[in-house]
Every structure is written in C-alpha cells, then in structure tokens.
Amino acid sequence: MDHYIDIRLLPDPELAGAHLMDVLFGKLHLALAARQVGDIGVSFPGVASGRHGLGDRLRLHGSAAALDGLMAGRWLAGLSDHVSIGLMQPVPADAPHRGVRRVQAKSSAARIRRRQMRRHGYNEAQALERVPDTVERTLTLPYVSLRSASTGQPFRLFVEHGPLLAVARPGHFSAYGLSPEATIPWF
C-alpha cells in the first residue's frame, strides 16, 4: 500500500453525487473481481458522518504495479465526463492507517424467517417463534447502492471506516476493495 490514486466525482446538475459514486463503485467492483488478486484497497476520504453517501472521492490504494494494472483496463469507460482521475502518488510516510470494511446487517426479520422456513422446513409459527422482530438491526453507516450480478437484486453495501492505527495490518482485499483485517493509509 505504498501508492494511491484519487478519483474525484465532478459536479453534475443532472445526476446526484451519490448516484455517480454508485456507478463508479460498481464499475470498480467488476474490475477488481475480474483481476482476482486482492491487492487493491479503497477508502472514501470525503465521507461525512451522519450522511448516507460516501462523499465525492474514491481513493485506490496499492502498489504501483497493482494500480497500473488496474488503470490499464477500460473499467472507467463511460465515466470520463463525470470523474477526474488524479496521478498516482506515493503515500505520505507518516500516514496513519485505518481499516475500511463491509458491514452487513440482518435487516429484515421477515426475510430471515422466510429463509429459516426454506432451509429448515419450519412452518410460519415456528419461524416466528425462532426469529422475533427484535433481531432486526438497522445501520446508519454510509453506503453505495449496487445491483447483484448473480440475482439482479439491488442491495446496499454499507462501509465502515475503523479507528486510526499507528501501524499497518496486512491482509487480503475483497472484490469490493474492502477488508475485515487489512488496513489502508489514511490521509
């Protein structure tokens, strides 16, 4: 994680910034999934607490070779009028680190009950007894709205920026550029 590239969303009077971030992140996800390497992480330096959006900047973190490999692809096709791509830069030597990870919530008791009925053969009364309404958990974290490539269903990918750490933690990044253990430089 010694280099980074900033991709900034340009203001557009016809498209909301959150929608542009959704499209940009969706294209990045497809590019990272195609690479199947897990060596590029992401962060959102413009994220603000209390807002659902992730801001107007997506920062890619990785080695110079990994970032060059990603940017050599055509994954940003169609977005050239909507983004400004910064030059690859070295990470500041004194930058602290932070984890950026996906958080999933069991958001719908009804959905969990249906799954229990399907998987375990419970009837409606049994599922209601085993899964009370109190299991529902809502998140107030920022998110991007994506569409599942396998099912076509829309979903929200919630992103949590962890606490600042003095030292980096190595690890593997998912096809979303997020990791439950690895950290990225934060500056």
Side-chain angles (χ1 to χ4, degrees):
M1 297 282 133
D2 55 353
H3 284 79
Y4 73 97
I5 298 173
D6 276 347
I7 301 174
R8 185 177 298 275
L9 300 176
L10 300 174
D12 189 319
E14 297 177 15
L15 294 171
H19 176 70
L20 285 173
M21 182 60 79
D22 295 346
V23 172
L24 174 63
F25 194 80
K27 286 180 169 273
L28 173 66
H29 165 59
L30 293 175
L32 292 176
R35 288 183 78 239
Q36 297 182 342
V37 180
D39 58 351
I40 293 178
V42 301
S43 66
F44 303 89
V47 69
S49 61
R51 300 194 57 191
H52 86 347
L54 288 162
D56 67 349
R57 197 165 21 142
L58 172 65
R59 182 170 287 162
L60 306 173
H61 303 268
S63 69
L67 293 172
D68 273 339
L70 175 67
M71 298 309 285
R74 296 189 31 85
W75 67 276
L76 284 169
L79 285 177
S80 61
D81 293 342
H82 303 287
V83 298
S84 170
I85 303 167
L87 297 174
M88 186 183 320
Q89 301 283 330
V91 169
D94 60 346
H97 296 268
R98 125 181 295 167
V100 181
R101 67 184 187 105
R102 179 181 184 181
V103 177
Q104 292 178 274
K106 295 178 181 178
S107 58
S108 169
R111 183 187 58 78
I112 297 167
R113 286 184 200 116
R114 285 192 304 272
R115 186 174 180 186
Q116 292 274 321
M117 290 165 59
R118 205 173 42 247
R119 287 194 165 191
H120 302 290
Y122 298 145
N123 63 35
E124 196 170 333
Q126 290 171 316
L128 183 60
E129 181 181 321
R130 291 180 179 272
V131 183
D133 287 337
T134 57
V135 303
E136 288 191 12
R137 184 174 146 218
T138 57
L139 295 174
T140 58
L141 294 170
Y143 61 87
V144 290
S145 295
L146 301 172
R147 187 165 296 277
S148 169
S150 59
T151 67
Q153 295 294 317
F155 70 98
R156 290 179 176 172
L157 186 137
F158 291 91
V159 177
E160 179 180 64
H161 286 72
L164 292 176
L165 304 170
V167 295
R169 288 193 322 238
H172 180 80
F173 291 92
S174 71
Y176 294 111
L178 305 171
S179 176
E181 72 273 344
T183 59
I184 50 89
W186 184 258
F187 51 96

